């Protein structure tokens, strides 16, 4: 390869600086039959990073259930999952992380995370109709945490609002383990006609290759590598690895891309996200068994004198790579010219199965595309793992060592002020949830988040869930709970869970205890997804979520965020969480237990973080969800709200808030009062119904082997629980609504 430019001599030390291991450098030399030049090594470094290759996770990801009757593409086949929702329509959806960029530059990091996940959806030909997010921050008392919260929320809001996609829901937690390394997971949902999707393929040697959208700049260079390394005290020096977004440009790109698909000129299309041109060219070529010849001088750039590796690795936003049918170039150019977007031919598809990049007339990269990608030549590892040292210590916890508070009413008020339980209105009021007028839960809050499918009697119901404290306590059971709660939220809303996308946020995979968390989390996820018949359509793995401070490395709590969608076949099944009318009966489906493990009560009131995972039984959970769906379809339920963080009492209070009602409950239980009120044992749902339906509901529950008990009545007045008077709900609403603003305004 005499004509390859050796623009910089490389060796193992340079490879190490780019994030490659010594044996990986040797493997690259073996693949090429020579020593790579610096530009080639840079391409390998981003494509073989964890962020792109999943080299430390794919062995276990393949064990997840990946097929189902509603799936139109299997996991990993396309940019996002695709499920059949009937009437000739499909739903595309995916969740991904943008953690490290958001930790360094919260506004742009979060904004570009939103932009990137939406591009994954409309690249397939689907129009994004809804967004969700899952956020983790550190101690809210810390000024740095407050700065990060404000930046992330504004970034999400500004980008989504300008793009015109409603943010319909999400979750936010606070824990000191995220003090430096926050988590920002963004989810997008879109719809498309079946058969009208576009693949990320590069078929047809001789077909021209276009780059469309924004010009390429120096922002985001080595972003994939940045996402695949530990955050340190010096990570702010990596600020150029954070991309810069332009939502108005993305709106133009969205409309132009969907219009261009209609011309029939597009053979394949892929978003330029992580690793930029390097990734899109290699993945599209490898998928089709083809190659590409690209002239980097033809790539529109924002800055003069960009080096080849900078052009190849740039993660500048709002860009697509398109393979066009030869002879239809003018059709494609006309659409993007109409929308005033860059649209340049930069090369063509070849039959060489190699990526050949030229610069100033010289060949600067010559790499087989297959050897760069997951499923091809990218390395695969199964790391050492061992049970975390803390695990046995958690099992020694005993509820008997926790003294019950003398004033449970005041305890309830104190608990309501926990940032994890308090209202997130300060956050979501900055998001436009009503644009496109399809959001259905704004005035009628529900456990799942609904978006109507216009022209039908159907709705998509979505949920994002993960209590990382549960997963920390037991990765296997904790992750099963995350899947179960996502499904439970959807079921309580009146929809059947369909499929899952995941965002797996963990520490350094070279840490055996972190890898133990990961392996067991995957096992738990797989078992739960098989039980609920919700196959995993894809998602994202984010390792290296930890921070080095004063030579001490602390991984975040394992946080396998579950993004789940369900289908509501009839809009009249929509079920909110709020009590509607005084005199209605309140029923608990499921069993109260003497369990305060990992509860917000235990952590916030007693400052005790070391306890096992709360009670959970997968078979029992599945029966409970079948029960609630049966009752809703029979129109016997007025409201349904699952018991989760904060326990039974918090569930009841939330059900009162929207209509400012009360309750009178007599639990008739021998359990400890704090466990009864605030324990977080799983598989429980509080419903309200008309008095005449109580007997039928109890009988149905018994027939499905679920304990059910009539607790009491909805009232107009105060909230009473076992003769304890908790006062008017307005007092709790005041605490609930003002906690976050007291820190952030």
């Amino acid at each position: 390869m005499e004509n390859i430019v050796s623009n910089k001599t490389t060796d193992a030390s340079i490879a190490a600086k780019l994030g490659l291991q010594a044996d990986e450098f040797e493997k690259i030399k073996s693949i090429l039959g020579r020593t790579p030049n610096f530009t080639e090594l840079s391409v390998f470094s981003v494509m073989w990073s964890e962020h792109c290759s999943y080299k430390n996770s794919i062995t276990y990801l393949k064990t997840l259930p990946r097929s189902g009757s509603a799936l139109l593409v299997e996991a990993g086949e396309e940019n996002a999952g695709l499920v059949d929702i009937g009437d000739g329509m499909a739903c595309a959806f995916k969740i991904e992380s943008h953690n490290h960029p958001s930790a360094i530059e919260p506004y742009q990091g979060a904004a570009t995370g939103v932009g990137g996940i939406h591009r994954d959806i409309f690249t397939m030909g689907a129009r994004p109709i809804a967004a969700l997010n899952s956020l983790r921050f550190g101690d809210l008392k810390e000024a740095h945490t407050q700065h990060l919260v404000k930046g992330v929320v504004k970034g999400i809001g500004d980008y989504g609002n300008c793009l015109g996609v409603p943010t319909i829901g999400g979750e936010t937690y606070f824990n000191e383990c995220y003090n430096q390394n926050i988590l920002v997971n963004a989810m997008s949902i879109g719809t498309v006609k079946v058969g009208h999707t576009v693949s990320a393929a590069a078929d047809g040697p001789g077909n021209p290759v276009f780059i469309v959208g924004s010009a390429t700049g120096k922002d985001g260079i080595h972003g994939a590598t940045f996402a695949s390394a530990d955050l340190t005290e010096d990570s702010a020096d990596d600020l150029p690895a954070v991309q810069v977004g332009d939502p108005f440009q993305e709106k133009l790109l969205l409309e132009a891309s969907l219009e261009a698909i209609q011309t029939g000129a597009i053979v394949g299309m892929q978003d330029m996200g992580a690793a930029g041109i390097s990734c899109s060219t290699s993945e599209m070529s490898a998928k089709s068994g083809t190659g590409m010849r690209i002239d980097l001088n033809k790539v529109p750039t924002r800055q003069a004198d960009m080096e080849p590796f900078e052009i190849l690795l740039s993660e500048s936003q709002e860009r697509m790579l398109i393979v066009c049918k030869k002879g239809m170039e003018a059709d494609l150019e006309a659409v993007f010219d109409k929308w005033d977007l860059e649209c340049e031919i930069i090369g063509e598809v070849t039959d060489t199965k190699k990526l050949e990049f030229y610069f100033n007339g010289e060949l600067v990269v010559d790499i087989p595309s297959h050897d760069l990608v997951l499923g091809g030549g990218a390395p695969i590892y199964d790391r050492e793992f061992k049970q975390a040292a803390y695990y046995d210590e958690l099992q020694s916890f005993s509820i008997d060592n926790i003294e019950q508070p003398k004033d449970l009413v005041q305890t309830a008020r104190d608990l309501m002020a926990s940032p994890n339980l308090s209202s997130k209105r300060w956050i979501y009021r900055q998001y436009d949830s009503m644009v496109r007028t399809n959001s259905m839960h704004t005035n009628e809050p529900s456990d799942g988040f609904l978006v109507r499918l216009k022209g039908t009697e159907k709705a998509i119901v979505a949920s994002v869930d993960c209590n990382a404290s549960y997963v920390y306590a037991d990765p296997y059971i904790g992750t099963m709970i995350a899947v179960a709660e996502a499904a439970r939220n959807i079921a309580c809303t009146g929809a059947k869970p369909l499929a899952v996308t995941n965002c797996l946020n963990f520490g350094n995979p070279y840490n055996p205890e972190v890898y133990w968390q990961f392996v067991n989390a995957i096992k738990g996820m797989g078992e739960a997804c098989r039980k609920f018949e919700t196959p995993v359509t894809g998602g994202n793995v984010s390792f290296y979520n930890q921070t080095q401070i004063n030579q001490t490395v602390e991984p975040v709590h394992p946080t396998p965020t579950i993004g789940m969608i369900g289908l509501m076949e009839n809009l009249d099944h929509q079920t909110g969480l709020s009590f509607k009318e005084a005199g209605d009966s309140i029923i608990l489906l499921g069993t109260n237990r003497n369990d305060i493990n990992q509860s917000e009560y235990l952590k916030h009131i007693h400052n005790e973080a070391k306890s096992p995972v709360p009670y959970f039984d997968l078979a029992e959970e599945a029966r409970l969800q079948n029960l609630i769906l049966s009752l809703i379809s029979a129109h016997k339920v007025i409201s349904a709200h699952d018991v989760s963080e904060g326990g039974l009492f918090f569930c009841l209070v939330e059900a009162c808030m929207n209509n400012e009602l009360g309750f009178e409950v007599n639990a008739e239980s021998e359990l400890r009062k704090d466990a009864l009120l605030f324990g977080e044992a799983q598989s429980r749902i509080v419903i309200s119904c008309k008095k005449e339906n109580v007997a039928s509901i109890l009988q149905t529950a018994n027939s499905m082997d679920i304990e059910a008990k009539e607790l009491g009545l909805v009232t107009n007045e105060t909230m009473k629980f076992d003769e304890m008077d908790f006062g008017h709900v307005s007092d709790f609403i005041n605490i609930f609504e003002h906690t976050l603003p007291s820190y952030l305004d």
Side-chain angles (χ1 to χ4, degrees), residues 163-321:
L163 189 58
V165 179
T167 301
I168 63 170
E171 61 170 8
T172 304
Y173 287 86
F174 300 91
N175 188 293
E176 63 182 4
C177 74
Y178 306 107
N179 272 354
Q180 282 75 39
N181 198 140
I182 63 175
L183 304 182
V184 176
N185 297 173
M187 180 174 172
S188 178
I189 299 171
T191 55
V192 61
K193 290 182 179 178
V194 174
H196 287 236
T197 53
V198 172
S199 180
D203 297 338
N207 282 331
V209 177
F210 282 80
I211 189 169
V212 303
S214 294
T216 298
K218 293 187 178 183
D219 56 315
I221 293 173
H222 267 296
T225 308
F226 175 56
S228 305
D230 294 338
L231 283 182
T232 70
E233 293 172 317
D234 300 321
S235 288
D237 297 338
D238 293 325
L239 199 58
V242 179
Q243 307 89 336
V244 178
D246 182 345
F248 299 104
Q249 190 84 340
E250 175 124 333
K251 175 62 174 174
L252 298 178
L253 185 60
L254 187 163
E255 300 300 339
S257 298
L258 296 181
E259 186 174 324
I261 291 169
Q262 300 306 310
T263 68
I266 295 180
V267 174
M269 179 165 58
Q270 181 159 325
D271 162 41
M272 286 187 195
I277 294 174
S278 298
C279 186
S280 52
T281 55
S282 58
E283 289 186 346
M284 292 177 76
S285 299
K287 181 171 185 174
S288 296
T290 56
M292 287 187 188
R293 183 181 294 113
I294 304 293
D295 185 348
L296 296 178
N297 295 95
K298 293 183 178 180
V299 176
T301 57
R302 298 177 196 164
Q303 290 136 306
D305 303 321
M306 287 185 68
E307 296 287 339
F309 84 91
E310 293 175 318
I311 297 172
L312 284 168
L313 271 59
S314 169
E315 295 182 12
S316 293
Q317 298 291 284
E318 295 87 41
R319 300 179 300 158
M320 299 285 200
L321 195 75

Side-chain angles (χ1 to χ4, degrees), residues 450-700:
L450 294 91
V451 57
R452 178 182 52 149
L453 298 171
K454 278 185 178 176
T456 76
E457 288 300 307
K458 298 179 179 180
I460 295 293
V461 182
S463 184
V464 285
D465 283 283
C466 181
N467 186 315
S469 294
Y470 296 172
V471 185
Y472 173 80
D474 190 315
Y476 173 67
I477 296 177
T479 306
M480 283 201 290
I481 291 175
V483 176
E485 183 165 3
R488 196 187 318 139
N489 285 334
I490 289 171
C492 284
T493 309
K496 173 71 174 174
L498 272 184
V500 160
T501 178
N502 58 48
C503 198
L504 308 176
N505 308 273
F506 289 82
N508 191 319
Y510 294 85
N511 178 335
E513 294 189 0
V514 167
Y515 207 66
W516 171 80
Q517 294 172 333
F518 173 76
V519 169
N520 281 279
I522 294 296
K523 289 180 180 178
M525 184 184 304
E527 189 167 336
C529 286
R530 279 184 280 272
K531 189 69 174 180
F532 299 119
E533 299 180 346
T534 53
V536 178
T537 63
N540 173 224
V541 178
S542 176
F543 281 133
Y544 303 97
N545 290 293
Q546 49 196 25
T547 306
Q548 182 175 339
I549 305 173
N550 298 326
Q551 306 305 312
T552 300
V553 175
E554 294 292 340
V556 302
H557 283 354
T559 313
T561 304
I562 301 298
M564 185 181 288
I565 64 164
L567 183 64
M568 183 180 291
E569 293 280 1
N570 298 297
L571 293 181
D572 64 355
H573 287 174
Q574 180 183 359
T575 305
L577 63 83
S578 302
F579 294 150
K580 301 297 188 300
E581 189 175 359
D584 288 343
S585 295
I586 301 171
I587 294 176
L588 175 69
L589 306 177
T591 305
N592 291 322
R593 299 179 187 276
N594 213 43
D595 185 338
I596 57 173
N597 292 347
Q598 284 298 326
S599 63
E600 194 64 22
Y601 159 73
L602 188 59
K603 290 176 286 188
H604 187 74
I605 301 300
H606 294 281
N607 197 31
E608 178 56 76
K610 296 179 179 180
S611 62
V613 69
Y615 171 86
F616 177 74
D617 180 271
L618 185 58
E620 179 183 339
E621 177 71 38
R623 295 196 304 274
L624 175 72
Q625 293 189 25
N626 289 333
L627 171 62
I628 191 63
L629 284 170
S630 173
L631 295 175
I632 289 173
S633 64
H635 300 286
K636 293 182 179 179
V637 173
I638 296 172
S639 69
H641 189 19
D642 80 314
V643 179
S644 55
E645 288 89 358
L648 177 60
F649 178 78
F650 188 74
C651 176
L652 290 165
V653 173
E654 277 196 312
C656 291
M657 286 182 176
N658 199 49
N659 297 313
E660 292 204 31
L661 294 167
F663 58 79
E664 186 166 336
V665 164
N666 292 298
E668 299 177 355
S669 173
E670 299 300 318
L671 301 179
R672 284 175 51 133
K673 277 291 191 289
D674 57 350
L676 181 61
L677 287 165
F678 311 126
E680 296 177 13
Q682 298 294 293
S683 306
R684 292 180 293 164
I685 298 171
V686 168
I687 64 171
S688 65
C689 65
K690 291 302 179 185
K691 188 69 176 175
E692 58 265 27
N693 286 325
V694 171
S696 172
I697 290 171
L698 296 180
Q699 182 178 7
T700 302

